[in-house]
Amino acid sequence: MFAIRLSGEEHHDTRVLPVDVSGVLAGGDEETAELVRTAEGAGEAGAVQVLPRPLRTPAKILLAGVGAGDEAGWRAAGAAVARTAAGDEPLHVMLPDRIAPAAVRGLAEGLWLGGYRFREAPKPPRSGAVTLTTPDPAAYAPSLEAARVTAAATWLARDLTNTPAAVKNPAWFAAQVVTEAATRPGVTVTVRGPEQLAAEGFGGILAVGGGSASPPRLVELAWNPPAASRHVVLVGKGITFDTGGISIKSTDGMKLMKKDMAGAAAIVAATLAAADLNLPVRITGLTPLAENAVSGAAFRPGDVITQWDGATTETTNSDAEGRLVLADVLGYAVAELDPDVVIDLATLTGANSVALGKRTAALYSQDDDLADALKAAGDAAGESMWRLPLPDDYVDYLRSDIADRHSSPAQGGAGSVVAALFLREFLGDRTDRWAHLDMSAPSWAERDDADLTKGATGWGVRTLVRLLDDLSRG
Ligand code: BES
Ligand code: MN
Ligand code: ZN
């Protein structure tokens, strides 16, 4: 990880000069300004040009394009510099005077996120010292700290999601949460194993986890600061591997299914980040953890399971497992935790990418304020989502002849929408204080792309950290 610090002094390291669409913003001499005037596209967000200066100091200048100079432009510049910088050479970024604090947050998040590598990868992550020079370092310290916590949380979510499923079984994931929580005062964790899940009636988690040699868990992570005014419950789908079960997936459909716990990883990381930032908001993070495996003990198409709230679900397709584990936990949250807001994140359907492509999550909520707040937090954080409807006339699709409802209706299409409607059934009297994010598509990057490193993206961490910050203020 880059060691980024703010300083009032200049150094002789490789110099990074931010350039926007109208030219060099800070620290350039006349010669550099002239070069930028003739260099095509130097100010475009994410463009980096290397200017070698033999026999002079500094010996190298990087021109880093910040586009319009907004937070997204600075984030793109940071990520591009992270990928361009050779080895561990110290970097020296000249910040323009009186730049907005958001620019520093964007730049630092871009550097850290773009420099990510999986903790088990053969190559270590990009590192080296980065000094941000400004006449007023103190003014930017909170932005740098917010960036540090957000990036570290995103790294954690990426590491958990990139971990192969042979390692990452439900017990392993639960143990990771316990370890992370142990270093944070004020954060508590409860882990329920199969016996306790059975005693308390978590029938969806037990059915889905029943086919695996690694039994399921439910992790309940809590941050409860004294000054909290609101209680936010975060729920994350934690299928540590999704074979589809008896309704088995194809080779191609299964190859990335170690990522089917990306929702759980994101809500755990965001909750820990809120604690690190000491945000005055109460958070309970719930992750149902199960492996959807194929075996003689696996649940079958046509089985009827009893969810935590007592309602029954006919499960005609064992590959629609995520909604079964989430249904238990959503029912439990509204009945037992008295939440002001419930948000769930889930790699729930392949239909997410059919509707919205590879980088955009589907957002569902009946609460316009909550939907707008999430969208705004995502926009600021650089994570994209788009709101889709919850049409009441599709609720009929969920009807079953032998149970209260059906988990995976054959008719209708709109797989992501129908899954959201199924989840809504378990919100009791809190349907108006709930949001669901189907983040199947943006949870994974097929290639390095700006602030995303190929593999798990940690999608949702950045959005949630901003949203929790907003909710803790007003
Ligand atoms: N985990 C998958 C959804 C998924 C697919 C996530 C591709 C990421 C990439 C989920 O459990 C699933 O299998 N959903 C089914 C639902 C269907 C059987 C009703 C789907 O989307 O096909
Ligand atoms: Mn599935
Ligand atoms: Zn799944």
Side-chain angles (χ1 to χ4, degrees), residues 237 242 249 257 259-260 317 319 321 347-350 440:
K237 174 177 172 182
D242 184 9
K249 287 181 183 293
M257 282 303 128
K259 75 164 179 175
D260 212 15
N317 186 332
D319 200 8
E321 83 297 338
T347 48
L348 204 58
T349 71
S440 309

Side-chain angles (χ1 to χ4, degrees), residues 1 50-51 91 128 142 147-148 190 194 215 223 233 235 245 275-276 307 329 349 403 406 424 444 451 466:
M1 206 167 186
V50 183
L51 306 183
L91 298 176
R148 186 190 316 280
T190 321
W223 163 244
V233 170
V235 176
D276 290 341
Q307 308 277 175
V329 172
T349 71
H406 200 294
R424 187 179 68 175
W444 196 263
D451 49 54
R466 302 231 180 195

